[in-house]
Amino acid sequence: MKQILFAGVIGLFLTLVGTPLLIKLLARKGYGQYIRDDGPREHASKRGTPTMGGIAFILATIAAYFLAKVITGYVDENADATPTFSGLLVLGLMAGMGLVGFLDDYIKIVKRRSLGLRAKAKMAGQLIVGIAFAVLALQFADNRGNTPASTKLSFITDFGWTIGPVLFVVWALFMILAMSNGVNLTDGLDGLATGASVLVFGAYTFIGVWQYQESCANAQTLTNPNACFEVRDPLDLAVVASALMGACLGFLWWNTSPAKIFMGDTGSLALGGVLAGLAICSRTELLVAILGGLFVLITMSVVIQVGSFRLTGKRVFRMAPLQHHFELKGWSEVLVVVRFWIIQGICVIVGLGLFYAGWAADK
């Protein structure tokens, strides 16, 4: 449990202190955000704001995870400070998706164009990272035979029939691409995606702790072994989630309106990827659609807008993604962000309620 606290505090401290240093570095190199001409007029003033800020919380999260291990092992000789395969795979997924986003951001800046990487190149990078994660997540079984991921679908826990390794890779890729692009679409207003991510990672910190306390590995000490969780490394996933929560919270200090730095695709692809990784490794693959409900809602607004225009030639929203629709209706940016945070908070409460209800029902 100490590792969870240390990881969160260290992640928070590193981004609070490190982000302004990154801002100065990016500003000196002229790595500023390119703003679309067809977006809300108010966004024109954001042109030139340093981007690729995702570097700050990616590095802070990784550092916080390992420093928490080192510190815990130093202050408590009996503590297990060994990194787990689940934790390392989720962090690797975050770093890999962040690298794809970094290349996309870098090309946007150097080429002075809003598209960045070509669609095929960007998709290829995401596929390589996603496939590597999915394949490795089915390896490294522990002494109970549990691997970081399972070939069964999951909501609160695994259910149904085994879908096999090939279909699992396809399913994992869908989740990674859907969540990473969902966070990417949400990252359109100052602090919106960052604040929403803090809430979701807080939920996964709680889920990891609960799964550890009710783990099937401790079945002999549980009052009801039938309600246990068969997850390989739940406590270490909580450490990763806590480090992410702290790192994003510290980054939010500089990313909130008026933003001094944007996360860019570097950050949004990394956050979406790691969110999918946490869901897969914690056996909450379908539950993440509720916990990350804001990302799903905003993604669906784009799907509806594009589908409606292609089928009828008419638009449902004034502009997609959804947050820009409300801006064009006259809502201030801060008003949109805070209200969308409230929506995300409700999604987290509903998701955690379903998680607890599913566990209690098994009891």
Side-chain angles (χ1 to χ4, degrees):
M1 298 298 179
K2 293 178 182 178
Q3 289 181 28
I4 297 173
L5 178 60
F6 285 140
V9 172
I10 294 171
L12 173 64
F13 174 78
L14 289 178
T15 46
L16 276 176
V17 175
T19 303
L21 300 177
L22 179 62
I23 292 173
K24 292 180 181 178
L25 175 63
L26 295 174
R28 187 164 60 246
K29 290 184 174 293
Y31 290 173
Q33 178 70 33
Y34 182 93
I35 303 297
R36 291 167 50 186
D37 293 328
D38 58 345
R41 295 178 180 178
E42 293 79 5
H43 290 200
S45 62
K46 299 181 181 183
R47 183 175 282 111
T49 301
T51 187
M52 297 193 293
I55 295 172
F57 56 73
I58 291 173
L59 295 180
T61 298
I62 295 172
Y65 173 81
F66 286 105
L67 285 174
K69 297 284 183 183
V70 173
I71 294 173
T72 304
Y74 179 78
V75 300
D76 186 357
E77 294 180 355
N78 297 321
D80 184 5
T82 305
T84 66
F85 287 111
S86 298
L88 294 176
L89 281 173
V90 172
L91 289 174
L93 177 60
M94 175 186 68
M97 294 297 288
L99 178 60
V100 175
F102 173 81
L103 294 175
D104 190 42
D105 285 333
Y106 186 77
I107 291 175
K108 288 178 185 176
I109 294 168
V110 173
K111 301 287 187 179
R112 296 294 177 184
R113 69 184 191 207
S114 61
L115 296 178
L117 278 173
R118 299 298 181 188
K120 291 183 178 179
K122 189 174 183 179
M123 179 62 70
Q126 292 176 304
L127 289 176
I128 291 171
V129 174
I131 291 173
F133 168 81
V135 171
L136 291 174
L138 294 178
Q139 313 302 318
F140 313 113
D142 61 10
N143 54 11
R144 292 178 55 82
N146 291 322
T147 53
S150 168
T151 54
K152 290 185 177 181
L153 296 179
S154 60
F155 183 58
I156 305 301
T157 57
D158 288 341
F159 69 86
W161 295 281
T162 300
I163 62 176
V166 175
L167 285 179
F168 166 76
V169 171
V170 175
W171 170 241
L173 281 175
F174 170 77
M175 286 193 62
I176 293 168
L177 292 175
M179 292 310 302
S180 60
N181 287 291
V183 177
N184 184 257
L185 290 171
T186 305
D187 182 36
L189 301 181
D190 294 354
L192 178 57
T194 310
S197 297
V198 169
L199 295 172
V200 184
F201 292 134
Y204 269 107
T205 302
F206 172 82
I207 287 173
V209 172
W210 193 271
Q211 289 179 333
Y212 172 74
Q213 293 176 340
E214 301 295 329
S215 173
C216 294
N218 306 322
Q220 294 180 347
T221 62
L222 298 178
T223 55
N224 187 358
N226 294 325
C228 64
F229 295 96
E230 205 60 270
V231 178
R232 191 190 191 283
D233 307 298
L235 192 61
D236 209 44
L237 292 175
V239 174
V240 173
S242 178
L244 281 160
M245 179 176 63
C248 287
L249 190 59
F251 181 75
L252 182 60
W253 180 274
W254 305 102
N255 181 233
T256 195
S257 183
K260 299 295 187 294
I261 188 171
F262 300 137
M263 69 169 68
D265 282 12
T266 305
S268 61
L269 295 188
L271 290 181
V274 75
L275 185 55
L278 286 170
I280 291 169
C281 291
S282 64
R283 311 293 200 270
T284 56
E285 295 164 357
L286 298 179
L287 183 64
V288 74
I290 300 174
L291 291 171
L294 180 64
F295 304 132
V296 176
L297 177 65
I298 288 177
T299 301
M300 289 306 299
S301 73
V302 176
V303 174
I304 292 171
Q305 183 85 326
V306 173
S308 176
F309 186 76
R310 289 183 176 178
L311 292 174
T312 68
K314 297 181 180 180
R315 293 180 172 86
V316 176
F317 307 105
R318 296 187 180 186
M319 184 178 179
L322 188 61
Q323 61 269 31
H324 298 316
H325 166 78
F326 288 102
E327 277 193 291
L328 294 179
K329 286 190 66 174
W331 291 20
S332 69
E333 180 174 6
V334 173
L335 181 62
V336 176
V337 169
V338 172
R339 286 181 173 174
F340 275 39
W341 281 350
I342 293 173
I343 293 172
Q344 178 56 54
I346 294 172
C347 292
V348 166
I349 292 171
V350 172
L352 289 178
L354 290 173
F355 176 80
Y356 179 80
W359 171 81
D362 289 337
K363 291 188 70 176

